[in-house]
Amino acid sequence: MPKFPFLKNKESENKSKVFIPSRREFLKISTLASGGFLLGVNFQCSGPKGELVTFAPNVYLSIDSDNQVTIIAHRSEMGTGIRTSLPMIVADELGADWSKVKIVQAEGDEEKYGDQNTDGSYSVRMFYEPMRKAGATARHMLIAAAAEKWGINASECATENGQVISTSGKKINFGDLVEGLKDKQIPDATTITLKGFSSYKLIGKDIAIYDNKDIATGKAVFGADVDLPNMQIAVVRRSPVVGAKVISYNDAKAMAVPGVNRVVQIEGAGIPPGLDKPLEGVAVIADNTWAAMKGREALEIEWDLGENQTYSSAKQLDDMLKSTTGNGQVRRERGNFNAARQSAGKVIERTYLAPFYAHATLEPPAAIADFREDGSCEIWAPSQHPQWARQAVADALQMDLDQIKMNVTLLGGGFGRKSKPDFVVEAALLSKSAKSPVRVQWTREDDLHHDFFHAQSAQRIKATLDKNGNFSGWNHHTVFPAIGATASAAELHPSDGELGLGCIDFPFEVPNIRIETHESKAHTRIGWLRSVSNIHHAFAINCMLDEIAETKGMDPVDFILDILPENKDLDFAGEIKGDFSNYGEPLEKFPWNTKRLRGVIEKVVQESDWNKMVSDGKAVGFAVHKSFLTYVACIVEVTNGSNGQIIIPDVHYAVDCGIGVNTDRIRSQFEGGAQFATSLAMSSAITLENGQVQQNNFDGYQIIRMPQSPKKIHVHIIESMEKPTGVGEPPVPPYIPALCNAIYKLTGQRIYQLPIKV
Amino acid sequence: MEKYTIIINGKKQEVTAAEDMPLLWVLRDLLSLKGTKYGCGQALCGACTVLVGDDARRSCSLPISSIGNQNITTIEGLSQDGNHPLQKAWVEHIVPQCGYCQTGQIMNAAALLKSNSSPSEAEIENAMAGNLCRCGTYNRIKDAILTASKS
């Protein structure tokens, strides 16, 4: 079973795994990475190949006798900078000359590299320590070798810029020590001393991404850029409705298109469609992409559209909203909300709706497979989860894992879409059928019609104030088709994992809390999109808190600080009915700490114009949300444009992600996160009628463009020595409600439905 | 299928293609110039932007039969070794995140600077409105264009 997503509630526990690694998996990986991998199992120092000798104390690092330091990037690069940030950590501990380090992308291979599922904002969190140890172990060995050579004490030596240096001024290149390391034992992990934070030259600094210049010159290799001799191109007509089956097809006109060589049917999983399986479809395989596209246009297919052919997302959303008026399945309970409601001085009841969202990575899915006569298969794909892709191909083609070599290219955006290996499986199936290398190329229309969508959601929140005006009760109903339903049609409620994303971990002091879910079925493929159900939960909760503050006549920030404990580690003990996953980490290791949340609130207020509030036609909105173990507060400023449109001149974020590894990439993730969230808030929505997606391209599914985008995004990073946590997803959730709250102050119009219509 | 001779980055290239094959696929599939990217096929995202003469055009929507003897410049031909002022500015500002849209952004910006060597922020925003970036690097793109325009 590949490890991947979400879905962990009592019913689904055996069918699927948490999308963030479970504690058990984490320990396994940490042990491997800091134990076996580093300390001897993979130790090798190859004999001379020509003149070159290589010292490879672990799978992530090698040093050649010609001084070349090579670091393996084993996590996928989709724009977060992880391909730079993790190697930076190794290089810093090693004392390498960063400008000369070569970074090589790892194949998908769990046995060798541990977890490669680049999802859930946990790469730095999980690998900060193992990468430090990887570099430090090599440093110790190089220093010991140099000290022995010079006849001095190791304590008189250090490493710097690819050399070992002594206090008396001796210097030797790493490469000159490699030959002598051949017979050395890898030191015990407990004897390895890590550098102090203050002596780092890369960690905690702004470091340019490794692929910077290659991208600016067009040399960077993304999925569809891989070229193989005799490669054919496939374009697939997939089931227009999830679960539809091909009754028959006529390929005569398609085969008549010059360049078209073959038409092949792909069998889909039906219902449920599965997270790792292709959709039912008919593929046209041609000499080039254009011929394949034209061939597909000429296909005649008769479909049995199946049970989803009458599905309307608008109708379902209405039904979901109606369901929230009744009693749901209680997922967290503190005190007695009904009693609080009966004795309340005031009840505020609001509903919040959000649509389906598509990932719309600018690079649509594409994958290349070369199935060979000897029964092996080599793949190149922009995959966030190459191990899962490799497993899915093995399952689909009934092959052993070791027959499949899984190469990872750069990803032209991921956001969760490219975790799912359906498109990689398509390429492998088609290559086997065509007996040649095949690139399967998704068009933009394919991407929008057949995504694994972020689920649409309906929420109802009731808040009570007692007769003295104190915030006394919180009743949150949430309903959205679960990710788990894509793999198991029996999943009708959001999983514990999905609720743990900013819903059941409501951190505020209120004596009565009741959180409920309601049933909803999935009629399309549901997946996870950058920050997942934090998106709609943070929207509803923060908009509601803003209204409660207003009702109480309080400044929203003062109100939130008022109901947030000063310094408490929250455990929600006895209140949460299922599991609280804490993003796969034990609470003892990564506490839910209210002081750190207060810290980002205070910081963002201090750095922004919050206290000036509305002046000169400007308005500001505030929201705060912890996700993926990172604490974020956000203030968005809005003004009216000349023709009535909303302009966003300034955004302020304060972020506490523990130790900041590459501060430039922390800022860039927040800059991009604000833009991404602007699209979700203002312009993007997927709707389905007759089971079919109604948006075809970027004219229907709109992404924010430069003129509408936030103009200045200020990112204030809290200096911290806490363990590092991720930054890929946390920028998104608080931005949307901060924007909604700002728009309310500007226009007097509260936002209860996304995308915002003003 | 027809034979066409087109001028790409100053070099004559002969290709055999269907007359309606967009320049994008001629570049990528027939000439193996992979720096020009496919994003939408409908001239909505700008990832496939190249220069036709001095103008930015979406190569996904330009049939090969319409090219004639116009000079086509792709990212591979923008500079000798990545030293175009825009490329240098892109590197200096660490603009890219995933990087997929950036070659189209740079080619579009190159056309802007050819027609307006010192654009204002508003002029940059308008000129770049056809180029989508899903990662949201817009502000760094703007800063990089301003830097390049001053060099």
Side-chain angles (χ1 to χ4, degrees), chain B residues 7-28:
Chain B
I7 307 162
I8 310 287
N9 300 327
K11 200 170 137 193
K12 279 191 178 171
Q13 301 269 12
E14 282 206 1
V15 293
T16 303
E19 62 179 12
D20 58 352
M21 185 188 279
L23 177 62
L24 169 67
W25 300 115
V26 173
L27 295 170
R28 289 188 57 83

Side-chain angles (χ1 to χ4, degrees), chain A residues 56-73:
Chain A
N58 55 69
V59 295
Y60 302 116
L61 170 65
S62 64
I63 304 168
D64 293 339
S65 51
D66 67 355
N67 292 312
Q68 180 63 58
V69 172
T70 303
I71 302 177
I72 299 290

